[in-house]
Amino acid sequence: MVADCLFCRIVAEEIPADVVYTDDRVIAFRDIMPKAPTHVLVIPREHIADITELGANREAAADVLNGVRAVSRQLELPYFTTIFNTGPESGQTVLHVHAHILSGSGQMWAHGQK
Ligand code: AMP
Ligand code: ZN
């Protein structure tokens, strides 16, 4: 755990979250400022900064993608877009890797808008 990391604090249950799926490797919770009717974040319990670091950790990468799969099933999403922002210029504000799952806004997400 990284003490000043917002998402590590959610993992530690120091900050409440609207959890939609959890297992021993990941947590998925609703984004506090949703950009679509359904907007969920999937994070590993382990602190990993971004997708480049995640990509070097095959087990964690599979865990996060399995979390995406589990959320899509849990919420019965007929379609969704998945975004990983990487670096501040991309809009990454929390340096603990998270997959955004966005659904319910039709085509707009297909063009990478956020
Ligand atoms: P990013 O901008 O890609 O780093 O995404 C971070 C996301 O975390 C943003 O969409 C925020 O709205 C969301 N967020 C920030 N604080 C919280 C929180 N306490 N609970 C849920 N989502 C949050
Ligand atoms: Zn963290």
Side-chain angles (χ1 to χ4, degrees):
M1 170 167 178
V2 174
D4 63 354
C5 172
L6 175 65
F7 287 174
C8 281
R9 296 187 67 197
I10 286 178
V11 171
E13 298 183 4
E14 293 176 8
I15 295 175
D18 184 357
V19 174
V20 299
Y21 171 79
T22 188
D23 61 31
D24 61 338
R25 309 289 301 179
V26 304
I27 301 179
F29 50 92
R30 293 190 189 274
D31 196 292
I32 205 167
M33 291 181 64
K35 314 291 191 303
T38 297
H39 187 172
V40 172
L41 305 174
V42 180
I43 68 170
R45 289 181 176 273
E46 176 185 359
H47 181 86
I48 294 172
D50 62 24
I51 196 173
T52 66
E53 209 177 291
L54 183 69
N57 185 332
R58 291 185 183 201
E59 193 176 3
D63 293 335
V64 170
L65 291 185
N66 183 58
V68 172
R69 179 197 65 84
V71 169
S72 74
R73 287 195 170 192
Q74 177 88 16
L75 300 182
E76 299 182 357
L77 301 178
Y79 67 91
F80 59 92
T81 296
T82 307
I83 294 174
F84 289 86
N85 289 320
T86 309
E89 291 86 351
S90 79
Q92 186 179 10
T93 57
V94 181
L95 295 179
H96 181 134
V97 68
H98 46 283
H100 293 260
I101 300 174
L102 300 145
S103 185
S105 293
Q107 293 265 10
M108 65 182 290
W109 306 110
H111 305 290
Q113 296 175 11
K114 177 171 175 271

